[in-house]
C-alpha cells in the first residue's frame, strides 16, 4: 500500500503524487539554476565586455525582463495548450538560452539569449506551482507546492557549487575569457533532463475538466486517489465552472469587484516577495562577499554555504506550512528577513571583516525560505479562484518579475553611487529592503486569509469573507 496522509489517507496515492510533483518541480530547479548562475559569472562578464554599472545591472536583469514576458504569456499558454506542454516549451527555451549565451561573442547577443532564458523562467515559475496545486490533495497541497520553492533553491545551490568548481584553481584571466561561458552552458544538462521526464507526467485534471475532457481527468484523479473520490472531486470542479462547451460562455471579467480585489491582493503578494531583496542575494552574493572573502574563489565557496542554508530553511518551511499555516510563517519569517538585512547593512556600514556578513545572509535566507519562499508561492498558487487562476497567476507573477527587474537593475547602480557610498558605505539598499519587508508583511496579514486546508473550489468564498465582499455566482475561465 502506498504511503498515505491525513484524514483522507485511504484516498490518496501519495507516492504517485510526490513522483509527478517532483518532475514538475524540475521547472523550479531550472528557474533557480538559470537565475543564480549569473552570481558567479557576472564579475568575469563585466570585465570581459567592459561594462558600466548600468550595463552590469542589465547583464543581470535582462533575464528578469524575459521572465516578465514569460510570466505574462504563461496564463494564455497554460490555458490553451495545457500545463505540461507549456512546461516542455520552457525546457526547450532553457536549452536554447544556455547554449546561446555561453557562445555569445558580443554583449548584445549575450543579452538576447539571456532574455530567452528569462522567458523560460517566467513560464516555469507560473505553471510549475500551478500544476502542483492542481494535482495535490488539499491536505498535502502546501508541501507539494513548497516543493517548487525547494527545487528552485536546490537549483540555485547546485549552480553556486558548479560555479565554484569551475572557478576552483583557475586564474582570473581564464574566468574572464572562458570560465563564465562554462558556467552559463552547464544549464543544458538539467534542461535536457526536465524535457525528457515531462513525458512521464499526466496533464492537470482541472485543466482537462475545463476543456471538457472529463474521462481523461477522471483517469488521472483515479490514479491520484480512487474512482469514487475522483468522481466526487470532478463534481466539485465542475460546480466551480460553467459548462465549458456552452456557446454562450463568456470569459470571466477580472473587473468584477471581488475578482479584481483578489487579483490586486495576489499580485501584491507576488510582487512584495521581490521587495525583500531576495534577487540581490541570489545574484550578487559573491560580489557582496568578495571584498571580505579574499577573492572570487573564496567568495564563491562562501556563497555555497548560503545556498545550503537556504535548502535547510526551505525544508523547515515545507515541514511547517501544513502544520502551522501560511500566515504565521509569513509574520515571523519576515521579521527574520528584516533583522538579517539590517545586520548585513550594519556590517557593510562599519566595514566589519570576517564572517559577520555571511552569518547575516544565512539568517536572512532561512527566514525568507520559510516565509516569502514557501508560504508566498503557496499562497499565490491557492488564492485565485478556478475561474481566473491561469490569467491571474500570469499577471501576479509578471508583476513579481517586473518588481524583481527594478530591484536587480537598480542595485549595482545604487551600490556604486558615490553619494550613497560616502554616507552609507554600501548599507543603504539593505536597510531599505529591511523596511520594505516589514511594510509588506503588514499588508499580507491584513488582507490575505489563512488558506491551510481550504480546497481550491472554496477559495473564492474564503477570500470574499476576508475582504468583506459577497462571492458572485461561480463561473469558468474561457477557453482560448
Amino acid at each position: 500500500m502506498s504511503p498515505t496522509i491525513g484524514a483522507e489517507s485511504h484516498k490518496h496515492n501519495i507516492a504517485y503524487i510526490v513522483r509527478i510533483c517532483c518532475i514538475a518541480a524540475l521547472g523550479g530547479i531550472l528557474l533557480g539554476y538559470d537565475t543564480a548562475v549569473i552570481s558567479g559569472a557576472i564579475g568575469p562578464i563585466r570585465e570581459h565586455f567592459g561594462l558600466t554599472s548600468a550595463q552590469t545591472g542589465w547583464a543581470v536583469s535582462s533575464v528578469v525582463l524575459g521572465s516578465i514576458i514569460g510570466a505574462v504569456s504563461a496564463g494564455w499558454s497554460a490555458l490553451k495548450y495545457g500545463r505540461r506542454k507549456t512546461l516542455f516549451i520552457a525546457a526547450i527555451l532553457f536549452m536554447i538560452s544556455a547554449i546561446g549565451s555561453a557562445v555569445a561573442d558580443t554583449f548584445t547577443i549575450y543579452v538576447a539569449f539571456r532574455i530567452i532564458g528569462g522567458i523560460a523562467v517566467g513560464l516555469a515559475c507560473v505553471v510549475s506551482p500551478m500544476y502542483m496545486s492542481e494535482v495535490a490533495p488539499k491536505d498535502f497541497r502546501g508541501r507539494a507546492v513548497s516543493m517548487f520553492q525547494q527545487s528552485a533553491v536546490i537549483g540555485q545551490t547546485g549552480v553556486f557549487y558548479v560555479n565554484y568548481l569551475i572557478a576552483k584553481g583557475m586564474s582570473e584571466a581564464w574566468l574572464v575569457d572562458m570560465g563564465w561561458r562554462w558556467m552559463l552552458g552547464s544549464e543544458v544538462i538539467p534542461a535536457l533532463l526536465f524535457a525528457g521526464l515531462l513525458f512521464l507526467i499526466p496533464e492537470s485534471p482541472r485543466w482537462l475538466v475545463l476543456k471538457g475532457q472529463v474521462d481523461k481527468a477522471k483517469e488521472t484523479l483515479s490514479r491520484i486517489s480512487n474512482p469514487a473520490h475522483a468522481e466526487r472531486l470532478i463534481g466539485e470542479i465542475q460546480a466551480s465552472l460553467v459548462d465549458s462547451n456552452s456557446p454562450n460562455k463568456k470569459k470571466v471579467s477580472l473587473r468584477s469587484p471581488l475578482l479584481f480585489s483578489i487579483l490586486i491582493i495576489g499580485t501584491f503578494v507576488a510582487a512584495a516577495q521581490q521587495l525583500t531583496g531576495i534577487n540581490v542575494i541570489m545574484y550578487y552574493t559573491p560580489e557582496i562577499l568578495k571584498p571580505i572573502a579574499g577573492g572570487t574563489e573564496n567568495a564563491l565557496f562562501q556563497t555555497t554555504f548560503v545556498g545550503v542554508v537556504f535548502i535547510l530553511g526551505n525544508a523547515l518551511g515545507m515541514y511547517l506550512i501544513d502544520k502551522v499555516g501560511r500566515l504565521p510563517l509569513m509574520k515571523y519569517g519576515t521579521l527574520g528577513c528584516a533583522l538579517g538585512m539590517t545586520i548585513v547593512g550594519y556590517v557593510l556600514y562599519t566595514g566589519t571583516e570576517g564572517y559577520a556578513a555571511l552569518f547575516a545572509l544565512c539568517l536572512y535566507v532561512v527566514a525568507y525560505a520559510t516565509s516569502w519562499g514557501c508560504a508566498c508561492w503557496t499562497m499565490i498558487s491557492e488564492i485565485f479562484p478556478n475561474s481566473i487562476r491561469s490569467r491571474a497567476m500570469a499577471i501576479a507573477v509578471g508583476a513579481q518579475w517586473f518588481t524583481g527587474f527594478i530591484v536587480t537593475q537598480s542595485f549595482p547602480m545604487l551600490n556604486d553611487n558615490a553619494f550613497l557610498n560616502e554616507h552609507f558605505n554600501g548599507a543603504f539598499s539593505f536597510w531599505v529592503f529591511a523596511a520594505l519587508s516589514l511594510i509588506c508583511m503588514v499588508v499580507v496579514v491584513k488582507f490575505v486569509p489563512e488558506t491551510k486546508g481550504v480546497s481550491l473550489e472554496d477559495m473564492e468564498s474564503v477570500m470574499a469573507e476576508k475582504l468583506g465582499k459577497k462571492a458572485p455566482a461561480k463561473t469558468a475561465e474561457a477557453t482560448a
Side-chain angles (χ1 to χ4, degrees):
M1 181 178 293
S2 300
T4 56
I5 186 169
E8 297 183 335
S9 61
H10 61 289
K11 297 177 180 178
H12 305 313
N13 182 351
I14 299 302
Y16 178 64
I17 295 167
V18 170
R19 186 160 66 249
I20 61 178
C21 283
C22 281
I23 293 174
L26 284 173
I29 286 182
L30 280 162
L31 180 155
Y33 202 104
D34 191 271
T35 55
V37 69
I38 196 65
S39 66
I42 186 58
I45 287 173
R46 181 174 190 167
E47 189 171 344
H48 181 86
F49 291 114
L51 306 181
T52 64
S53 296
Q55 288 174 321
T56 301
W58 179 227
V60 177
S61 63
S62 55
V63 70
V64 185
L65 178 62
S67 300
I68 299 171
I69 299 171
V72 171
S73 304
W76 170 82
S77 179
L79 182 59
K80 183 174 179 64
Y81 300 112
R83 287 40 165 163
R84 187 177 66 170
K85 288 181 181 177
T86 300
L87 289 175
F88 185 77
I89 292 171
I92 298 302
L93 293 177
F94 276 124
M95 285 187 275
I96 293 172
S97 172
I99 296 171
S101 59
V103 302
D105 58 359
T106 68
F107 183 57
T108 300
I109 293 176
Y110 158 84
V111 166
F113 279 104
R114 288 296 286 164
I115 290 175
I116 291 173
I119 295 173
V121 167
L123 292 174
C125 72
V126 172
V127 181
S128 283
M130 181 194 301
Y131 176 89
M132 288 186 279
S133 73
E134 291 179 344
V135 300
K138 64 183 180 182
D139 53 355
F140 188 67
R141 193 173 62 235
R143 276 165 284 179
V145 178
S146 294
M147 289 170 61
F148 174 75
Q149 170 67 12
Q150 181 73 309
S151 64
V153 175
I154 290 172
Q156 290 166 343
T157 304
V159 79
F160 287 158
Y161 194 65
V162 168
N163 286 347
Y164 166 69
L165 291 178
I166 290 172
K168 186 178 180 181
M170 307 305 292
S171 67
E172 291 287 339
W174 183 84
L175 290 174
V176 170
D177 185 38
M178 292 296 299
W180 63 272
R181 299 182 187 275
W182 283 99
M183 293 176 185
L184 297 176
S186 65
E187 188 180 353
V188 168
I189 296 174
L192 278 171
L193 179 64
F194 184 42
L197 290 177
L198 282 173
F199 289 99
L200 303 180
I201 66 174
E203 182 52 81
S204 162
R206 283 178 169 82
W207 181 82
L208 291 171
V209 172
L210 187 65
K211 291 296 184 178
Q213 301 178 40
V214 177
D215 289 340
K216 289 184 179 179
K218 188 179 300 183
E219 180 181 347
T220 298
L221 288 171
S222 295
R223 189 170 181 186
I224 289 174
S225 53
N226 58 61
H229 182 245
E231 194 76 40
R232 180 180 66 80
L233 187 54
I234 285 176
E236 292 179 1
I237 296 171
Q238 289 176 321
S240 70
L241 307 171
V242 297
D243 181 8
S244 294
N245 296 318
S246 171
N248 297 320
K249 175 181 62 56
K250 296 181 180 179
K251 181 180 289 187
V252 176
S253 174
L254 291 174
R255 288 178 289 182
S256 70
L258 174 60
L259 295 182
F260 183 73
S261 298
I262 295 174
L263 176 65
I264 293 298
I265 294 302
T267 300
F268 176 83
V269 172
Q273 185 192 65
Q274 297 299 316
L275 297 179
T276 66
I278 185 60
N279 272 1
V280 168
I281 304 303
M282 290 297 100
Y283 297 159
Y284 295 108
T285 292
E287 297 301 304
I288 295 170
L289 294 176
K290 190 184 297 184
I292 56 177
T296 300
E297 184 176 327
N298 287 337
L300 289 172
F301 183 68
Q302 289 189 21
T303 301
T304 65
F305 282 102
V306 175
V308 171
V309 170
F310 209 153
I311 291 176
L312 296 175
N314 204 67
L316 177 62
M318 291 176 66
Y319 174 76
L320 293 174
I321 193 166
D322 282 324
K323 294 182 179 294
V324 304
R326 286 57 160 155
L327 291 182
L329 292 181
M330 289 294 285
K331 286 189 285 188
Y332 296 111
T334 305
L335 290 175
C337 289
L339 178 60
M341 282 297 194
T342 300
I343 296 173
V344 171
Y346 177 79
V347 170
L348 294 174
Y349 182 75
T350 58
T352 305
E353 296 186 358
Y355 291 97
L358 180 61
F359 167 80
L361 289 174
C362 289
L363 171 62
Y364 168 83
V365 298
V366 167
Y368 172 88
T370 58
S371 55
W372 294 95
C374 280
C376 174
W377 276 112
T378 302
M379 280 179 170
I380 62 177
S381 70
E382 290 178 331
I383 65 175
F384 297 121
N386 281 341
S387 56
I388 63 169
R389 181 172 298 116
S390 62
R391 284 181 290 156
M393 278 197 70
I395 293 170
V397 178
Q400 180 186 76
W401 285 108
F402 178 75
T403 308
F405 172 79
I406 295 173
V407 170
T408 308
Q409 176 66 38
S410 62
F411 176 75
M413 300 169 69
L414 292 174
N415 206 43
D416 292 342
N417 183 274
F419 176 82
L420 293 178
N421 274 325
E422 180 182 352
H423 290 82
F424 296 96
N425 200 30
F428 178 80
S429 298
F430 298 96
W431 286 340
V432 168
F433 291 138
L436 289 174
S437 296
L438 296 176
I439 294 171
C440 292
M441 178 196 69
V442 172
V443 175
V444 169
V445 172
K446 181 176 177 60
F447 292 106
V448 180
E450 178 56 68
T451 57
K452 172 190 172 186
V454 180
S455 72
L456 296 181
E457 284 63 50
D458 293 334
M459 200 63 69
E460 186 170 357
S461 61
V462 171
M463 287 295 297
E465 182 179 357
K466 180 72 173 184
L467 297 173
K469 297 182 180 292
K470 182 179 179 180
K474 294 179 179 179
T475 50
E477 185 170 29
T479 56

